[in-house]
Amino acid sequence: MRPSVSVMTSEWARLYRLVLKCLTAGLLLAAAACSPLHLLGPRQRLLTKVQLEGLKEADQERVQELFRQRPNDNFPLPKLAIYDLGYTFYDPQRLQRKLDTTRADFNRRIRAAGTDSVAVGRLLQKRERRIQRLQAALDKGNAIMRLGDPPVIYDSALTRVTETQIGIFLRSKGFFRSRVSAVDTTDCPTSLLSKLGKSAKNDTLGCRRAAVIYNVQEGPQFRVTQLNYDVADTTVARLIRADTAQALIRVGQPYDEELIGRERTRLENMLKNRGYYDFRQQYITLEADTSFAPATVRLLVMVENPPEQTAHRAYTVRNVSVITDAGVNRFGVQRDTVRRNGINFLAYDHRFSTRILDRKVAVRPGDPYSLANSIITQRQLAELDVFRFTGVNYQKVRLPTDTAAAILDATVLASPQKRLQLTDELGGTFVAEKAGPFGNFRLRVRNAFGGAEVLDLGVRAGLEGQYKASSGGNNQNPESVYTLQLGANASLSLPQFLVPWRTNRLFTRYSPRTRITTSYTYVNRPEYTRTTLEGTYDYIWQRSVLHQYVLTPLNISLVNTPNISEAFRTTLLNQSNSGALLRSFDRLLIPSVNATSLYNSNDFVQTLDAQYLRLFAEMGAPFRQFYTRPGTRTLIGTDRNERIETLIGNLLVLDYARFSADYRRYHKLTPNQFLAWRLNGGLVQALTPTEVTRDGQTSSAYLIPYDKYFFAGGGSSVRAWRPRRLGIGSYPTYLYKDGVLQKDSRGLPIRDENIEQPGELLLEGSVEYRFPVYDYIRGALFTDFGNVWTLQKDARRDTTGFTNGSARFSPTRFYREFAVGAGAGLRFDFTFLIVRLDFAWKVYDPTAVTQDRWALRNFAFFSSNAKPWLNTPALNVGIGYPF
């Protein structure tokens, strides 16, 4: 009698678990047997632990930064184990022989090249590259060793240095009675067999591990109880006392030498902005008296006069000269001088408008010397993007010895950039089983019309493969087609506000700009032909170096689809997103006004402890009832007519309000490790309903232009989902073929993940840990969450229970509808370009059937047509960081 299938399956399962347990035990024993201590030399010990004890009030992170030695990192990668693995393949004798052989071989080939300078130069370059590579492998180890870190050999001398530096740091923070002691102990663990109760001796190699404990006794933290000033120059004393509201040191604060240093810098800058060109921090000293009362400090700020002088001298600017072609020399020819508002503009050929430059120069004749004005002048000229170098130099004017005045002549130097700059980009894509080329070309014309304007002209073209949408996209054998995309754009940036009134120098300090942009895009696919024409008028100004505002009083988009197939139109109309995608192929006129506030304290490569906040508000087609009228037009893609109440000519006009906020925080854990997180949200809502009459039936709905919806999923959103495919809410979109619902082998419906999911409310966030891997390669571990929802009622997608799913936002349910994904990635930092690869898996999918919502249960590396429910990784390739 044959055993049943269930019995055989049970036997195989037990055998599988037994083999898995044996393999796990074997790996643990192998890991215990392997020890990196064989990398140590005689009498060397491996540093395995550094511990800080007794610290209560002082900043623990700042103290830990003073450690001169730290154990090898084990998270997120076991660096020492990787180094040890590479060391097993490291053969320095073989590398040295190869290095000697390579050097001798190239020397022979160079001698054979004789007098052929081209061949000799090529051989010298190749020899240098080859020798550098071999020498790096000899000195630093092979590629695997360089992925890890060599063992940290304990050095008692560095422990004493750390002990001293911690004491110095604590005293600088007001812990004058603190004491620091360091104890190094030998960590001598027993072997694995001993821990299991077997008879075995202690692991003698384990006794070569060292642990360091720093014991701190802080004592009381001294506080400032009195702050006095002793200033020899009465005028300087009056300025300092008048500015005490800005002082960084105040009575009641803890004593802090770092804060004292910043106060000295503040006083120096304040006085330099009041005309004191020669003032230096060296004239400021602070005395601390701790003998008055326990745990108290009396501070005395003393400002001395310059040597052999009775007072500091305040300088006034006499002449200001601006050289707009610094670095250009024409021997025997003098620069021409144009005078405007008391400033001399010098150049061989006056290519730049002196009226524009005059507004950018904050250093003015007759004003007191100001360091701030010098910095503003340099920044404003640099932001014009027509000069590659700017600087302000001052020359003291010699006056009779009996004259008390002090005068400076200022010279502003500006070296012009190249007038024309051409940038080209050629590449290719491989999408939907088709390879396609693309090209981008941009021409920048600086000082296009003589007023320091910047004109950008660009064209782009590309072929890209896509699955034919009318074939279902997610069918077993979707048809792949080419999409032709052509585009052109022009942008003119002017270094002033173009307004109907005179602004003079009112906004000069805010670096005002006016930007006029127009662009045209043409897309041709077998299913449709679509064009977009857009024009934008922007005002841009800087509140500070980190904070920018953009006001767009006019933005007009014209969308037209001159050709669309009936099959494609039917496909869009039958999708479960209520035909929202079909509206993106309508004939639309979208006028709008918007404003943006952007604060960013990070740099391009995101290496600072910083914040980012972007606020955006937009209103589309406000008060459209005053400039639109009812009309009848042909329904796109058909010969039927429709009557719409808001038309301009033959174009539909939709009104809406749109808001979004994006906050990002970057925490610098170590010089090379960062924790970044992001919260992003948005809301869009039609302002008034639009009435449409078709086939004798009138309907009224709150319509929004498709491009104004919010989407989730993709490389800079929830990365475990394809771009724009996450959501909506918990409502699932199922796959149909010829009108029949498709089911998997379990009898459950298959979801169609090829449909974009537009939403009116977006909530999402990300947390990412970034760390170095090797040289220019960085790694990342991340988790993302978020979703989009609708706000309007839709009977087809709004059911009564969470189990059935709903696309509409509910305050009592939305937190259970967050999709969650996690993964890891690599960033290739080429300084000028950062290429990103992210692999992400779904953790929780709110649109899946109940048993598949916790998607990690279906974790898999490779997809299977027979098992469409498998949770396979999504690969995201991008330029730059995701946030």
Side-chain angles (χ1 to χ4, degrees):
M1 182 178 178
R2 289 186 178 182
S4 65
V5 176
S6 60
V7 173
M8 293 182 65
T9 303
S10 177
E11 292 295 334
W12 278 109
R14 282 196 291 268
L15 179 60
Y16 172 78
R17 287 194 292 270
L18 178 61
V19 172
L20 184 62
K21 290 180 180 179
C22 292
L23 288 175
T24 303
L27 290 174
L28 289 174
L29 289 173
C34 294
S35 174
L37 299 179
H38 67 89
L39 300 172
L40 304 181
R43 297 185 179 180
Q44 289 183 338
R45 290 191 292 169
L46 177 68
L47 182 63
T48 58
K49 183 171 66 174
V50 177
Q51 191 171 340
L52 181 66
E53 295 183 353
L55 205 64
K56 297 178 180 178
E57 296 185 22
D59 190 336
Q60 185 168 347
E61 292 185 5
R62 294 285 301 275
V63 173
Q64 289 176 342
E65 290 175 358
L66 300 174
F67 292 169
R68 299 296 296 271
Q69 281 192 307
R70 295 174 180 270
N72 292 98
D73 289 334
N74 290 318
F75 180 82
L77 296 175
K79 294 294 188 72
L80 182 55
I82 294 174
Y83 182 90
D84 190 17
L85 175 64
Y87 188 79
T88 60
F89 307 103
Y90 179 59
D91 188 348
Q93 289 79 16
R94 185 182 64 83
L95 286 172
Q96 185 62 56
R97 289 194 301 269
K98 189 173 182 179
L99 180 61
D100 296 337
T101 303
T102 301
R103 186 180 287 113
D105 180 60
F106 272 101
N107 290 340
R108 178 184 56 79
R109 293 167 62 183
I110 290 172
R111 287 194 300 270
T115 59
D116 188 346
S117 60
V118 175
V120 170
R122 189 182 300 114
L123 287 170
L124 287 172
Q125 290 180 354
K126 291 180 66 176
R127 183 185 69 176
E128 189 65 23
R129 289 196 300 268
R130 192 77 58 82
I131 288 177
Q132 284 183 355
R133 188 163 58 248
L134 290 172
Q135 191 66 50
L138 183 63
D139 297 339
K140 301 178 181 179
N142 54 41
I144 299 178
M145 294 171 65
R146 279 177 279 173
L147 279 173
D149 287 333
V152 178
I153 309 301
Y154 174 65
D155 188 342
S156 59
L158 294 179
T159 300
R160 304 307 162 212
V161 172
T162 302
E163 180 183 348
T164 302
Q165 290 183 339
I166 293 176
I168 294 173
F169 173 79
L170 291 175
R171 287 189 290 274
S172 73
K173 295 299 180 179
F175 298 96
F176 293 116
R177 297 176 183 172
S178 61
R179 294 182 179 180
V180 183
S181 61
V183 178
D184 56 350
T185 60
T186 299
D187 186 10
C188 189
T190 57
S191 67
L192 178 61
L193 294 177
S194 297
K195 292 181 179 179
L196 295 175
K198 303 294 183 181
S199 172
K201 297 180 180 179
N202 285 349
D203 181 6
T204 55
L205 286 177
C207 295
R208 299 179 63 185
R209 292 182 171 94
V212 179
I213 300 176
Y214 294 99
N215 293 296
V216 178
Q217 296 179 4
E218 288 179 330
Q221 186 175 21
F222 284 59
R223 293 184 175 273
V224 178
T225 57
Q226 189 173 334
L227 178 63
N228 296 318
Y229 292 89
D230 182 7
V231 184
D233 188 326
T234 56
T235 304
V236 172
R238 189 162 51 250
L239 291 174
I240 291 177
R241 290 192 175 94
D243 197 53
T244 53
Q246 306 299 323
L248 302 178
I249 303 175
R250 300 185 180 279
V251 174
Q253 289 180 336
Y255 176 86
D256 190 341
E257 290 183 6
E258 183 179 357
L259 197 63
I260 289 173
R262 288 165 52 192
E263 175 67 7
R264 293 178 66 198
T265 301
R266 188 195 69 83
L267 290 174
E268 179 190 20
N269 291 337
M270 185 271 292
L271 292 171
K272 280 182 174 292
N273 291 332
R274 301 295 197 279
Y276 291 91
Y277 175 73
D278 287 329
F279 194 86
R280 300 290 182 270
Q281 282 191 40
Q282 289 76 3
Y283 300 136
I284 306 174
T285 57
L286 283 90
E287 288 187 355
D289 183 6
T290 61
S291 61
F292 180 70
T296 63
V297 177
R298 292 190 297 181
L299 285 180
L300 177 62
V301 181
M302 296 182 295
V303 181
E304 301 175 353
N305 287 332
E308 300 179 358
Q309 294 186 25
T310 59
H312 292 272
R313 305 185 73 181
Y315 287 79
T316 302
V317 177
R318 184 182 67 176
N319 296 323
V320 179
S321 300
V322 180
I323 301 177
T324 58
D325 53 6
V328 178
N329 291 317
R330 295 183 183 178
F331 297 101
V333 180
Q334 290 187 345
R335 288 183 170 89
D336 181 41
T337 301
V338 175
R339 189 171 180 84
R340 175 183 286 272
N341 292 333
I343 297 180
N344 298 318
F345 294 89
L346 290 81
Y348 293 112
D349 297 310
H350 287 282
R351 296 164 44 196
F352 302 97
S353 168
T354 57
R355 180 179 62 85
I356 296 297
L357 295 180
D358 175 59
R359 296 183 177 183
K360 303 298 179 182
V361 178
V363 180
R364 312 301 296 186
D367 287 352
Y369 164 77
S370 172
L371 175 63
N373 287 343
S374 303
I375 296 174
I376 291 172
T377 299
Q378 288 183 258
R379 177 173 60 84
Q380 293 189 148
L381 290 175
E383 288 175 349
L384 292 175
D385 195 30
V386 296
F387 299 110
R388 62 182 178 88
F389 169 79
T390 59
V392 182
N393 295 336
Y394 291 92
Q395 183 70 38
K396 294 181 181 178
V397 179
R398 290 188 177 182
L399 297 174
T401 56
D402 58 346
T403 303
I407 296 176
L408 296 171
D409 284 340
T411 303
V412 181
L413 302 174
S415 179
Q417 292 210 57
K418 291 182 179 180
R419 188 167 186 265
L420 300 178
Q421 178 183 344
L422 179 63
T423 304
D424 58 84
E425 179 186 8
L426 298 174
T429 60
F430 186 79
V431 180
E433 304 176 359
K434 286 187 178 293
F438 70 85
N440 295 325
F441 302 90
R442 190 182 75 172
L443 175 65
R444 171 162 289 189
V445 184
R446 295 184 175 91
N447 196 38
F449 307 108
E453 307 92 348
V454 177
L455 175 65
D456 284 312
L457 304 173
V459 294
R460 60 190 181 278
L463 281 175
E464 182 177 300
Q466 288 190 5
Y467 289 114
K468 194 172 182 180
S470 57
S471 66
N474 237 15
N475 292 345
Q476 295 297 324
N477 296 300
E479 182 182 356
S480 180
V481 297
Y482 271 117
T483 298
L484 172 64
Q485 298 184 17
L486 302 174
N489 65 279
S491 175
L492 179 64
S493 180
L494 301 96
Q496 58 181 324
F497 282 160
L498 289 185
V499 291
W501 61 86
R502 294 178 61 88
T503 59
N504 296 323
R505 302 178 57 83
L506 181 62
F507 300 104
T508 296
R509 290 180 177 268
Y510 300 103
S511 299
R513 284 183 292 155
T514 302
R515 183 176 60 197
I516 305 171
T517 306
T518 182
S519 63
Y520 176 80
T521 303
Y522 170 84
V523 177
N524 187 351
R525 288 183 52 164
E527 301 96 341
Y528 63 86
T529 301
R530 186 171 185 255
T531 63
T532 303
L533 178 64
E534 184 174 6
T536 304
Y537 190 90
D538 300 318
Y539 292 125
I540 306 170
W541 69 97
Q542 300 278 150
R543 180 184 177 186
S544 66
V545 178
L546 307 177
H547 197 173
Q548 181 186 80
Y549 292 106
V550 180
L551 174 63
T552 304
L554 181 61
N555 178 280
I556 298 180
S557 296
L558 180 61
V559 180
N560 187 30
T561 306
N563 181 26
I564 184 172
S565 68
E566 181 64 26
F568 181 61
R569 184 182 182 280
T570 303
T571 299
L572 298 180
L573 191 60
N574 291 335
Q575 289 182 358
S576 59
N577 54 19
S578 299
L581 184 57
L582 179 61
R583 285 199 294 275
S584 67
F585 296 90
D586 211 330
R587 294 181 291 268
L588 298 175
L589 179 66
I590 310 173
S592 66
V593 55
N594 61 70
T596 304
S597 170
L598 176 61
Y599 176 86
N600 185 10
S601 59
N602 216 331
D603 55 9
F604 170 73
V605 292
Q606 299 187 5
T607 59
L608 304 177
D609 196 293
Q611 299 182 73
Y612 173 102
L613 176 62
R614 182 181 185 271
L615 302 175
F616 176 80
E618 180 180 22
M619 181 173 290
F623 311 109
R624 63 173 177 168
Q625 62 271 22
F626 295 109
Y627 48 84
T628 59
R629 61 175 180 79
T632 302
R633 66 173 188 174
T634 302
L635 184 62
I636 187 169
T638 70
D639 55 0
R640 298 155 52 196
N641 290 333
E642 62 178 355
R643 181 175 179 79
I644 305 179
E645 63 174 346
T646 54
L647 292 178
I648 294 181
N650 200 32
L651 302 173
L652 172 62
V653 180
L654 301 177
D655 59 357
Y656 61 92
R658 192 174 193 266
F659 307 93
S660 65
D662 185 357
Y663 179 74
R664 308 171 188 180
R665 185 71 172 90
Y666 307 90
H667 300 276
K668 190 171 185 178
L669 306 178
T670 70
N672 295 312
Q673 299 184 58
F674 302 87
L675 179 66
W677 56 273
R678 174 195 189 197
L679 294 176
N680 183 33
L683 175 70
V684 61
Q685 177 69 48
L687 297 176
T688 57
T690 300
E691 190 173 279
V692 181
T693 303
R694 289 180 194 153
D695 301 329
Q697 294 185 354
T698 300
S699 61
S700 180
Y702 287 86
L703 304 181
I704 300 171
Y706 187 76
D707 294 335
K708 302 303 177 180
Y709 279 100
F710 290 101
F711 299 87
S716 58
S717 181
V718 186
R719 282 163 277 187
W721 275 258
R722 294 171 56 196
R724 294 173 163 238
R725 265 63 176 183
L726 173 57
I728 301 174
S730 57
Y731 180 79
T733 303
Y734 294 127
L735 177 64
Y736 288 84
K737 186 176 182 180
D738 298 329
V740 179
L741 177 64
Q742 302 297 293
K743 296 184 179 182
D744 59 28
S745 58
R746 304 174 301 176
L748 298 176
I750 301 175
R751 285 180 301 155
D752 189 349
E753 298 184 11
N754 195 51
I755 300 177
E756 294 188 357
Q757 302 292 348
E760 297 164 313
L761 175 64
L762 167 70
L763 294 174
E764 65 178 3
S766 297
V767 179
E768 184 168 289
Y769 170 62
R770 300 168 182 171
F771 54 91
V773 176
Y774 171 71
D775 197 10
Y776 60 89
I777 303 176
R778 309 284 187 266
L781 300 174
F782 59 83
T783 182
D784 308 315
F785 61 91
N787 209 332
V788 291
W789 294 266
T790 60
L791 298 176
Q792 303 300 322
K793 293 182 179 179
D794 186 343
R796 289 191 300 171
R797 296 189 297 175
D798 295 336
T799 55
T800 56
F802 174 70
T803 304
N804 296 326
S806 176
R808 194 179 183 192
F809 178 82
S810 170
T812 61
R813 189 187 61 241
F814 78 95
Y815 61 90
R816 293 185 289 168
E817 296 177 334
F818 276 123
V820 181
L826 294 175
R827 288 90 170 90
F828 300 89
D829 188 351
F830 301 110
T831 305
F832 63 93
L833 178 69
I834 297 175
V835 179
R836 171 169 50 90
L837 300 177
D838 284 333
F839 293 89
W841 279 267
K842 299 174 183 176
V843 175
Y844 181 78
D845 186 353
T847 62
V849 294
T850 304
Q851 56 266 48
D852 291 341
R853 282 189 179 150
W854 286 104
L856 280 181
R857 299 170 182 170
N858 302 320
F859 178 90
F861 283 99
F862 303 102
S863 60
S864 171
N865 290 333
K867 299 179 179 180
W869 63 85
L870 291 181
N871 179 19
T872 54
L875 171 62
N876 294 278
V877 181
I879 303 298
Y881 288 98
F883 60 90

